[in-house]
Amino acid sequence: MTTYFDDFEKKLIEPINLKLGNNSLLFKSGKGWIIESSDIDKANDDLINMKKLYNNAMTEIANLNDDIKGLTDTKAVVLELLIEERQRNHQLEQEIAAYKAELKENYKTILDIKQQYQKD
């Protein structure tokens, strides 16, 4: 059983072309309806480009996260070394203060001995 559309398609010699702006709707014999649209092609190209940009951005973010992790580890090591250095400096300052006090006492003792020697 053939329908009106089957007969119409067989009798069709020239394709039907409906055009609106950059969009075309074609009816070709044996192929049926075909959409040709530079807008759709452009949108498809834009989506492909956006996907590439997105993938590049995600790769860059992953690289930056790796860099941040490395920097965080380095920061922790540097802070640990800084704490050790401050503790060492504090200890040295205490030792210097103790040496100064001892030197002061020794100098005082020397002055006392010198005064006693001059009295004698």
Side-chain angles (χ1 to χ4, degrees), residues 36-88:
E36 291 180 357
S37 172
S38 61
D39 293 341
I40 291 175
D41 294 339
K42 184 181 179 312
N44 190 36
D45 291 343
D46 289 347
L47 284 174
I48 290 170
N49 289 335
M50 291 300 254
K51 183 178 179 184
K52 288 177 184 176
L53 287 173
Y54 173 79
N55 289 337
N56 290 341
M58 294 307 289
T59 301
E60 188 64 28
I61 287 170
N63 291 339
L64 289 172
N65 282 337
D66 291 343
D67 291 347
I68 288 170
K69 185 181 180 324
L71 290 172
T72 302
D73 294 344
T74 302
K75 178 184 171 186
V77 169
V78 168
L79 287 175
E80 187 175 317
L81 291 172
L82 180 62
I83 289 169
E84 289 174 7
E85 186 66 26
R86 285 185 178 170
Q87 288 173 345
R88 222 178 339 218

Side-chain angles (χ1 to χ4, degrees), residues 22-35:
N22 293 330
N23 302 317
S24 295
L25 182 60
L26 305 171
F27 186 83
K28 293 186 179 180
S29 184
K31 293 185 180 180
W33 290 101
I34 299 171
I35 296 175

